[in-house]
């Protein structure tokens, strides 16, 4: 009889592919299925945030993503009677190797992740649909239907729904999806545009709404996003309609041509009532859908996956207690809720027909924008929020403050900054990383061996010396997803040992 899988991953978009990459790193037994016969070839999601580029570094794909993408640095805000220029992410990002917003088609992102999995011996099972889930004791029976009509029953300990807004896993698990749809209809197109300055993001602010052009490069030079004119009939999306809307939203002489892909769609703001129900987990669009404001969707989904993957892997290997899985929702649900609020507010400001908001958008914004752009402090905070570098898990159950807290440097629950530069690269290997700050001689090999005994196969030790984010003697334990689980000042390791006893089990003899 075939042994049950550790994990069945349902959905092979960026979220599912990232989860599969992490599960493969830890030798977890899994399959990844998708009912679509092929990956996305349209742009769909089109930007990768700095934190996502960092989080994908351990898989060796980030350099390829950057090479294929466009690290746009400029925003052109086309306001009535003036154009305001600003740099994207010009402050507040000194602690990352990727201080830019990378514009890259989702098709390219999926291609890079899928190729990585192929090199690791993992094939995405396309044309395979999840039909039904049945809990059977300690496992789940997953009824699959293949493209040729045949059916298969697969046993798995856990099932992760990365299967989008209409998630079968979410429906079968009985998890609610709460929220609402926006009344507006939007148009998307990947195409060529004559008359736009290349290499920058262009936005046109009008009383009717906002028009965006994002630099892509592939499958076309530009991605266009616009709101269909309120009250207009739902005409078929074609180049003529897109040109009419562009002409209505701007007086610039922009000529649209050679569309690769065009569509219209409605936006929703919805979140799952829970990210977990027993053996079922949700990640990405299966857990939260919202407007594309701030380019948060795909990035949040990938980071959902990379928060969950190592936890599933260690629990399945018997190296972490089952309670570790409870921290997934505790950590990621607040992030998802924050993204829903942020994108809703941005969307409302950009599209509302309310006279007050419309006045602010068309009259106040043009006057206040130059002043706001000179306010370095607020702008830096906004950039860290949008870039997702500001995400932390300080209130997580798996975050512990040591008996003595360092006065300076990253705190427990924080992302490890890339300062000094290269620190993230040296801790990008799988497993946990124990970071030791201060003169190397103060860290006794014997005491370290005693603290890590039975777990040293999963923990790499780094004597940082003066090349450390902390200026004094500090020890910090870095989780596999790049966040600090434990930090304490001094060289006493009793608190670290207690933390490990709680969250990382010794290997079996």
């Amino acid at each position: 009889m075939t042994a049950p899988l550790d994990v069945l991953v349902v959905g092979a978009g960026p979220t599912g592919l990232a989860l599969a990459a992490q599960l493969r790193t830890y030798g977890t037994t899994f399959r990844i299925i998708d009912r679509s016969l092929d990956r996305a070839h349209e742009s769909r999601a089109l930007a990768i945030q700095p934190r996502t580029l960092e989080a994908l570094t351990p898989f060796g794909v980030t350099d390829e993503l950057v090479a294929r993408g466009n690290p746009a640095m400029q925003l052109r805000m086309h306001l009535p009677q003036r154009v305001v220029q600003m740099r994207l992410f010009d402050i507040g990002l000194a602690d990352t190797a990727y201080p830019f917003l990378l514009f890259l088609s989702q098709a390219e992102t999926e291609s890079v992740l899928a190729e990585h999995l192929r090199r690791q011996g993992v094939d995405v099972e396309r044309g395979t649909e999840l039909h039904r889930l049945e809990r059977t004791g300690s496992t789940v029976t997953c009824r699959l239907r293949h493209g040729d009509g045949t059916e298969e029953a697969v046993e798995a300990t856990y099932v992760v729904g990365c299967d989008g807004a209409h998630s079968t896993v979410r429906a079968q698990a009985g998890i609610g999806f709460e929220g609402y749809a926006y009344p507006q209809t939007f148009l998307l197109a990947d195409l060529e545009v004559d008359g736009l300055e290349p290499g920058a993001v262009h936005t046109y602010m009008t009383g009717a709404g906002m028009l965006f052009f994002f630099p892509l490069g592939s499958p076309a030079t530009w991605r266009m996003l616009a709101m269909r004119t309120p009250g207009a009939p739902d005409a078929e999306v074609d180049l003529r309609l897109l040109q009419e809307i562009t002409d209505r939203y701007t007086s610039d002489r922009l000529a649209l041509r050679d569309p690769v892909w065009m569509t219209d769609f409605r936006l929703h703001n919805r979140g799952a009532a829970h990210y977990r129900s027993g053996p079922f987990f949700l990640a990405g669009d299966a857990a939260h859908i919202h407007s594309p404001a701030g380019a948060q969707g795909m990035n949040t989904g990938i980071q959902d996956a990379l928060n969950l993957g190592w936890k599933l892997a260690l629990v399945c290997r018997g190296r972490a207690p089952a309670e570790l899985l409870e921290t997934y929702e505790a950590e990621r649900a607040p992030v998802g809720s924050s993204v829903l609020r942020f994108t809703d507010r941005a969307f409302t400001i950009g599209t509302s027909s309310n006279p007050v908001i419309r006045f602010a958008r068309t009259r106040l914004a043009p006057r206040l924008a130059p002043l706001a752009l000179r306010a370095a402090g607020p702008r830096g905070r906004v950039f860290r929020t949008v870039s997702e570098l500001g995400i932390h898990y300080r209130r997580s159950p798996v975050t512990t403050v040591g008996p003595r807290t360092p006065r300076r440097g990253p705190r427990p629950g924080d992302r490890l900054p890339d300062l000094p530069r290269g620190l993230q690269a040296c801790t990008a290997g799988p497993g946990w990383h124990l970071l030791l700050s201060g003169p190397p001689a103060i860290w006794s090999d014997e005491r370290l061996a005693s603290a890590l005994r039975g777990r040293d196969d999963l923990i790499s030790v780094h004597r940082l010396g003066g090349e450390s984010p902390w200026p004094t003697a500090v020890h910090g334990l870095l989780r596999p997803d790049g966040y600090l689980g434990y930090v304490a000042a001094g060289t006493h390791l009793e608190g670290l040992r207690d933390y490990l006893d709680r969250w990382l089990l010794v290997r079996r003899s």
Side-chain angles (χ1 to χ4, degrees), residues 100-428:
F100 48 79
L101 183 62
L102 182 72
F103 284 92
L104 182 66
S105 161
Q106 179 176 326
E108 293 294 310
T109 302
E110 289 188 16
S111 174
V112 170
L113 291 172
E115 180 57 34
H116 165 75
L117 288 174
R118 279 193 292 272
R119 291 195 298 268
Q120 300 300 312
V122 177
D123 291 321
V124 176
E125 300 178 42
R126 294 201 170 274
T128 300
E129 183 176 4
L130 174 65
H131 179 55
R132 191 166 69 254
L133 296 170
E134 302 169 358
R135 295 186 65 169
T136 51
S138 61
T139 63
V140 178
T141 300
C142 311
R143 307 284 180 180
L144 309 182
R145 184 175 292 156
H146 298 283
D148 60 4
T150 61
E151 295 192 358
E152 177 187 8
V154 175
E155 297 293 316
T157 304
Y158 300 103
V159 178
V160 184
C162 306
D163 48 346
H166 303 288
S167 170
T168 300
V169 175
R170 188 184 64 236
Q172 295 271 321
I175 300 174
F177 202 41
E178 302 160 354
Y180 47 86
Y182 294 106
Q184 299 91 342
T185 301
F186 289 83
L187 306 174
L188 277 181
D190 295 342
L191 73 178
E192 302 303 318
V193 183
D194 296 328
L196 277 181
E197 180 181 349
V201 179
H202 296 266
T203 175
Y204 294 82
M205 301 181 66
T206 74
M210 302 181 77
L211 168 67
F212 291 92
F213 290 99
F214 302 97
L216 271 183
S218 174
T221 303
W222 296 100
R223 152 66 67 88
M224 173 183 172
L225 170 63
M227 188 171 74
R228 191 186 286 269
T229 305
D234 291 337
E236 180 182 355
V237 181
D238 56 19
L239 188 60
R240 179 187 59 79
L241 174 63
L242 297 177
Q243 186 68 62
E244 287 179 357
I245 290 176
T246 300
D247 293 342
R248 185 175 295 117
Y249 276 50
T250 174
S251 59
D252 291 352
R253 295 182 178 180
L254 303 181
L256 312 186
R257 59 180 174 83
D258 302 331
V260 175
W261 174 65
M262 299 177 287
T263 189
D264 59 355
F265 65 100
R266 295 279 298 278
L267 290 172
H268 294 251
N269 186 283
R270 301 184 188 276
H274 298 285
Y275 282 31
R276 179 190 186 184
S277 177
F280 309 118
F281 294 83
L282 304 176
D285 285 356
H288 40 73
I289 57 173
H290 43 79
S291 88
Q296 301 293 291
M298 180 186 72
N299 293 275
T300 304
I302 289 174
Q303 292 177 51
D304 287 343
L306 299 183
N307 182 287
L308 177 60
W310 65 273
K311 297 173 181 179
L312 282 171
L314 293 183
V315 169
C316 289
R317 287 178 58 180
R319 300 304 302 275
E323 293 90 332
L324 182 63
L325 297 178
E326 295 296 330
T327 70
Y328 171 62
E329 179 168 338
E331 292 182 343
R332 294 305 297 175
V335 174
S337 296
S338 177
V339 170
L340 290 174
R341 290 192 301 272
F342 167 76
T343 55
D344 182 59
R345 289 168 184 165
F347 178 87
T348 300
I349 292 171
T351 64
S352 177
S353 59
N354 179 286
V356 175
I357 297 178
R358 185 170 176 170
F359 177 81
R361 183 173 69 233
T362 59
R363 300 294 182 86
L364 293 182
R367 297 181 181 182
L368 297 179
L371 297 176
L373 294 178
R374 288 198 291 268
R379 193 161 94 251
R381 288 191 290 273
V382 169
F383 287 169
R384 289 195 72 81
T385 297
V386 174
S387 67
E388 303 192 348
L389 295 174
I391 292 172
H392 63 80
Y393 305 128
R394 292 175 185 169
R395 298 180 180 178
S396 167
V398 75
T399 295
T400 299
V401 179
R404 293 177 55 204
T405 306
R407 294 183 178 180
R408 296 169 55 192
R411 298 163 54 185
D414 286 356
R415 146 194 170 271
L416 181 71
D418 194 38
L419 285 177
R421 182 70 75 238
L423 181 59
Q424 289 183 354
C426 88
T427 58

Side-chain angles (χ1 to χ4, degrees), residues 31-52:
R31 289 168 65 177
I32 176 170
I33 65 171
D34 196 293
R35 64 184 177 184
S36 299
L37 294 175
D38 198 1
R39 63 175 176 82
H41 289 278
E42 308 86 18
S43 58
R44 298 187 187 179
L46 74 161
I48 307 179
Q49 298 288 355
R51 179 58 194 147
T52 304

